[in-house]
Amino acid sequence: MTIAVIMRVNDGLVLATDSASSVTLLDEEGNEFVYHVYNHADKIFNLKKEKSIACMTWGAGNLSDKSISTIAKDFRKEVMGNIKEFTVKEISDEFKEYIKKIITDEDKDVGFIICGYSNKDESEDIPEVYEIQYTNGELQDPKLINEGQPIFINWYGEGQYISRLVLGFDPLLDNIINEYDISEENIMENIKNKLSLPLGVPSMPIQDAIEFVETLVYVTIQMSKFVPGAQTVGGEIDIAVITKHEEFKWIKRKHYYNKELNPNDNR
C-alpha cells in the first residue's frame, strides 16, 4: 500500500509519499494476504524536465508487466518529449489514454494525481490537481479536485491515521454510525466541521507546507509500525514541490545508485 499526500498553498504544490510496495497473494481459501513488502518504490515523477508538471501514484505498483515508475518515465519520453505548451487538463487526458492502452483485466486498483501549472493559457497562475482512478476494472476520467480552493490537502492509500489527526475521526466512523442506525442528517459533515484541525491560511510559506506534509507521511509510517500485521507503509519519504517560477524541485529523494558516481544523471 501507500501513503501519498498533496497540499496546495498560494506558493504552489507539495507532494510526498512513502516508499513501501506490497506483494499480495491468495491463500488456499482465496483470501488476499501480504506476502512481502519492499521499501524502495518510486511514487512521484516529474513528467517533463524543467517544467511544472508531475505525477503521483498509489495503489498497485505495477500495470501488466511494467512498474508504475517505468510507465511514468515512458510517458515522459514518448508523449511529453514532443509537447512544449500544455494545460494540466490536456496532460491528464493524455496520461489516461496512455494508461488505458496498458491496463489489463488482471491489474489491481491504482490511482494517479497529475498536477502542476499550465503554460499556454490563462490558468497558468493557478496550479491544478487532477485525479485519475482505476477502480473495479474501470478507468475513470481525470477529475479536477482543487477548483476554487486556495488552500487544499488530500491524501490517498492508508490514510486513517492522517484522518484521525487532521479530521478528528477515523474513516470507519461512517460505517459505525450506519451500523447503529444513527439517523441525524449530515452527521458526518457536522463531525468534520467540528473536529477538523485548521490547516493554516493560503499564504502559508512553501517551506511550512513541506514540513506539514512530511509530518503527515512520517506519522503514518511510524503508526503503522505498531499495528498488528505487515507494515505496508514505510521506507524513505520522497518529497517534491511545484511552484510557478522554480517549477518542479525535489526536496527529498532516494536513489538506488550513488549520485556522486553519476554526475550527469538527469532522471
Side-chain angles (χ1 to χ4, degrees):
M1 282 295 289
T2 297
I3 186 63
V5 182
I6 183 167
M7 183 175 190
R8 185 222 162 170
V9 293
N10 284 349
D11 284 345
L13 300 168
V14 181
L15 302 85
T17 69
D18 72 321
S19 297
S21 177
S22 304
V23 178
T24 59
L25 298 176
L26 298 178
D27 62 20
E28 294 179 354
E29 298 178 352
N31 300 312
E32 191 175 58
F33 70 97
V34 177
Y35 176 73
H36 191 70
V37 179
Y38 296 102
N39 279 317
H40 300 92
D42 293 324
K43 303 176 186 180
I44 299 175
F45 315 98
N46 182 5
L47 291 183
K48 190 168 181 65
K49 296 296 184 180
E50 300 179 353
K51 296 295 180 183
S52 303
I53 184 106
C55 171
M56 182 172 72
T57 186
W58 66 95
N62 292 269
L63 293 177
S64 187
D65 60 347
K66 289 185 177 182
S67 70
I68 300 298
S69 176
T70 295
I71 291 169
K73 293 171 185 176
D74 284 347
F75 176 82
R76 182 172 67 194
K77 180 179 179 180
E78 297 171 18
V79 178
M80 297 299 295
N82 299 320
I83 296 176
K84 297 187 184 301
E85 293 186 340
F86 57 84
T87 66
V88 181
K89 175 65 165 61
E90 290 172 348
I91 301 307
S92 300
D93 289 337
E94 290 275 3
F95 191 82
K96 184 222 171 178
E97 292 304 313
Y98 191 84
I99 292 296
K100 187 176 180 180
K101 299 174 184 176
I102 299 171
I103 285 178
T104 70
D105 293 338
E106 304 298 320
D107 288 319
K108 298 179 180 179
D109 292 357
V110 63
F112 302 94
I113 288 292
I114 306 297
C115 61
Y117 289 82
S118 303
N119 69 356
K120 76 172 188 180
D121 66 11
E122 67 279 358
S123 66
E124 62 184 9
D125 285 336
I126 301 173
E128 294 179 308
V129 180
Y130 284 88
E131 180 184 297
I132 303 172
Q133 294 261 19
Y134 177 70
T135 307
N136 298 324
E138 180 182 355
L139 182 61
Q140 300 172 4
D141 290 332
K143 178 175 65 174
L144 180 65
I145 60 173
N146 72 314
E147 187 173 15
Q149 299 185 58
I151 187 166
F152 161 87
I153 186 166
N154 230 16
W155 51 87
Y156 302 90
E158 298 188 43
Q160 64 267 36
Y161 305 119
I162 295 179
S163 294
R164 290 185 176 199
L165 179 62
V166 175
L167 301 181
F169 59 88
D170 192 287
L172 291 175
L173 179 60
D174 193 23
N175 295 335
I176 295 171
I177 289 172
N178 291 331
E179 179 182 349
Y180 286 93
D181 195 27
I182 300 173
S183 59
E184 181 182 341
E185 187 177 358
N186 298 324
I187 186 170
M188 287 302 296
E189 193 63 31
N190 290 330
I191 290 173
K192 185 184 295 185
N193 291 336
K194 294 289 187 181
L195 297 181
S196 293
L197 291 176
L199 295 179
V201 296
S203 58
M204 176 190 290
I206 199 75
Q207 181 61 51
D208 292 279
I210 291 168
E211 293 175 9
F212 179 55
V213 168
E214 182 177 13
T215 297
L216 296 181
V217 176
Y218 177 77
V219 165
T220 302
I221 291 173
Q222 292 301 108
M223 286 299 299
S224 68
K225 290 181 180 180
F226 304 104
V227 176
Q231 187 182 349
T232 54
V233 179
E236 296 182 55
I237 299 174
D238 287 337
I239 306 173
V241 167
I242 306 174
T243 62
K244 178 181 178 181
H245 295 291
E246 286 78 26
E247 300 177 330
F248 183 98
K249 298 294 181 186
W250 285 106
I251 306 303
K252 283 190 173 184
R253 186 188 191 190
K254 63 184 175 297
H255 284 88
Y256 63 86
Y257 55 88
N258 191 321
K259 287 283 289 182
E260 294 180 359
L261 299 179
N262 298 271
N264 296 321
D265 167 51
N266 63 353
R267 98 181 159 102

